[in-house]
Amino acid sequence: MPESASERLSAAGIEHRLHEFLVERTKTEWEPGQDLFASGVVSSLFAMELVVFVEKAFDVVVEREDLAMDNFRTISAMTDLVLRLRKAADA
Amino acid sequence: MTGGAGDGPLAVIGAGVMGAGITALALGHGVPVRLLDVDPDKLAAAPGDIRAHLRQAQLMGVLPPGVAPGELTTAASLEGVEGATAVIEAVTEHLKTKVELHCAIADAAAPGTLRITNTSSIPVAELAEVVPRPQDLVGVHFMNPPSLIKTIEVIRGPQTGDAALAAVRALAQRLGRRPIVVADGPGFVTSLLLHRMINAAADIVEQGRATVADVDALLEGCLGHPTGPLRTADLIGIDNLVDSLRVLHERTGDAGCSPSPLLLRKVAEGDYGRKTGRGFYEYAAR
Ligand SMILES: NC(=O)c1ccc[n+]([C@@H]2O[C@H](COP(=O)([O-])OP(=O)(O)OC[C@H]3O[C@@H](n4cnc5c(N)ncnc54)[C@H](O)[C@@H]3O)[C@@H](O)[C@H]2O)c1
């Protein structure tokens, strides 16, 4: 069921949820602007898991040109993506 | 001549880990595919698996730009194979299954059609000895995930013809892959080296000498292995790994290829790796 606009997480809430997921899955601490892929901790295969998580957790669909590593490179980039996709869906 | 119509559809047989991955590679390069499996559940799951492979390829930026995806059709029998430019077999790693299937493929496909086995370890010669027109048969070892691994190991069987080899090179170019041709033998180059290493890694864990994560971290951090041997086992599928190790052990007599008890236990418990959600590691559902 699509969540109503008021139930949606704020940017800070999205960041928090992403951080929680990453720490749980990678057993590593992450800063919002830290490059997940530069470290080698997060493999390119895990990147796909990240895409699926983002879609499910925030009820968005990531397609075509949005499906790019740069959108998933940092917690901040993913947060921006979610906010942008929601805005586009509302428009 | 082998593989005349260079721009026709491919037939992929077996819709498991590799069949789905190879199909996605072809579709992503604009090549139409007819995908076959005897298991209706596998066939039903295939479009979703293929979509996930294609999304991953898109995410990693490895799809050729401006190419419209090829069309996918699925089938439960070899019907339709006669129209294919090349037939790629990617079924379970059992000699008898492959021999029977390759005989049927040879009957269904027009003479001169390139016929490929994606076996990990079975020497091409063992198929070539029994199937019709062995000159059209070549081993092409795509690795998982096929869209992300640019190099393919090409195995020239003792009876493989020059035309078939040329057709493989043309296919590799069409799929944006770099072929490296090697001679036949159990496990060729890559499986003989890799499977034995993974088996040794499992033994080290079994003996309590290091944890799964530490074995992988050492191979990654000290030796530059991209995923670590045990994460690679999960990616391959531990059931398939054990089948391949058995093929290698039977043919080489090398004790290092006798499947580790830890691998056997994982298979018995149904923990095959990524494809079942758990192997040496746990995976979220796709
Ligand atoms: N998994 C890997 O990483 C990898 C890499 C390279 C090569 N290979 C090789 O590729 C082949 C396939 O491996 P996989 O990992 O995809 O296995 P898998 O178990 O995931 O899939 C095998 C599929 O073959 C189907 N099948 C079995 N018999 C059939 C028949 N007679 N006709 C049609 N379909 C049939 C099964 O239903 C199943 O869907 C094996 O030879 C394997 O050694 C695997």
Side-chain angles (χ1 to χ4, degrees):
Chain A
M1 210 181 65
E3 50 190 348
S4 74
S6 59
E7 282 171 303
R8 286 180 176 177
L9 291 172
S10 63
I14 295 170
E15 267 196 25
H16 178 74
R17 191 74 196 83
L18 286 166
H19 179 258
E20 207 174 56
F21 176 74
L22 279 164
V23 171
E24 185 206 315
R25 297 288 292 139
T26 64
K27 315 269 182 268
T28 309
E29 245 330 293
W30 297 99
E31 294 295 323
Q34 197 179 346
D35 187 332
L36 300 170
F37 303 109
S39 70
V41 176
V42 178
S43 74
S44 56
L45 292 169
F46 180 66
M48 200 59 221
E49 247 182 72
L50 214 45
V51 173
V52 175
F53 172 76
V54 164
E55 290 189 325
K56 284 200 183 132
F58 307 112
D59 193 27
V60 292
V61 182
V62 186
E63 292 176 314
R64 289 184 284 274
E65 58 276 7
D66 288 328
L67 203 50
M69 285 297 263
D70 282 345
N71 286 332
F72 292 85
R73 203 169 281 292
T74 63
I75 291 176
S76 306
M78 284 184 268
T79 306
D80 290 347
L81 176 70
V82 171
L83 293 173
R84 182 157 57 74
L85 289 173
R86 282 183 171 173
K87 211 166 158 188
D90 290 343
Chain B
M1 209 196 82
T2 300
D7 54 358
L10 295 184
V12 175
I13 307 180
V17 170
M18 290 309 294
I22 294 166
T23 299
L25 168 68
L27 297 178
H29 283 75
V31 179
V33 176
R34 188 164 183 82
L35 177 64
L36 294 90
D37 203 293
V38 286
D39 181 343
D41 293 341
K42 284 294 180 79
L43 217 47
D49 292 345
I50 292 164
R51 182 168 172 271
H53 274 283
L54 281 168
R55 273 164 58 87
Q56 184 178 48
Q58 164 90 33
L59 177 70
M60 302 307 294
V62 295
L63 288 178
V67 173
E71 191 198 346
L72 172 69
T73 54
T74 58
S77 74
L78 288 177
E79 176 208 338
V81 160
E82 67 281 357
T85 294
V87 183
I88 303 178
E89 168 271 308
V91 305
T92 322
E93 186 79 345
H94 293 157
L95 179 62
K96 188 166 169 283
T97 306
K98 290 204 194 266
V99 163
E100 285 170 9
L101 179 60
H102 274 278
C103 288
I105 294 169
D107 286 343
T113 304
L114 174 63
R115 295 170 355 236
I116 286 172
T117 174
N118 185 52
T119 177
S120 308
S121 300
I122 298 171
V124 175
E126 292 184 26
L127 299 174
E129 273 161 20
V130 276
V131 303
R133 304 190 307 281
Q135 67 272 21
D136 294 342
L137 183 67
V138 190
V140 178
H141 195 186
F142 291 90
M143 277 161 235
N144 190 25
S147 293
L148 299 191
I149 302 187
K150 256 202 139 14
T151 303
I152 53 178
E153 185 178 31
V154 175
I155 303 98
R156 177 164 203 165
Q159 306 189 58
T160 301
D162 289 340
L165 213 61
V168 167
R169 289 191 192 283
L171 179 65
Q173 192 170 17
R174 218 176 150 200
L175 299 179
R177 301 301 96 176
R178 173 181 178 229
I180 295 185
V181 182
V182 301
D184 202 14
F188 327 117
V189 174
T190 55
S191 298
L192 189 60
L193 295 172
L194 176 68
H195 287 30
R196 207 196 241 144
M197 175 173 79
I198 296 174
N199 204 34
D203 274 336
I204 286 170
V205 172
E206 178 74 356
Q207 292 158 14
R209 290 158 61 191
T211 63
V212 169
D214 284 348
V215 169
D216 280 350
L218 283 165
L219 266 286
E220 285 169 28
C222 300
L223 302 180
H225 192 274
T227 43
L230 298 170
R231 205 180 287 282
T232 304
D234 281 358
L235 187 56
I236 291 172
I238 300 174
D239 54 337
N240 175 243
L241 181 68
V242 164
D243 286 343
S244 286
L245 281 165
R246 288 203 172 108
V247 167
L248 291 172
H249 187 230
E250 281 163 13
R251 286 158 181 79
T252 62
D254 178 355
C257 295
S258 175
S260 164
L262 179 54
L263 296 177
L264 295 174
R265 262 199 329 274
K266 296 233 177 259
V267 172
E269 285 160 13
D271 292 338
Y272 295 173
R274 267 180 189 273
K275 63 177 156 188
T276 59
R278 185 165 62 201
F280 285 100
Y281 298 88
E282 308 243 344
Y283 302 90
R286 264 198 311 221

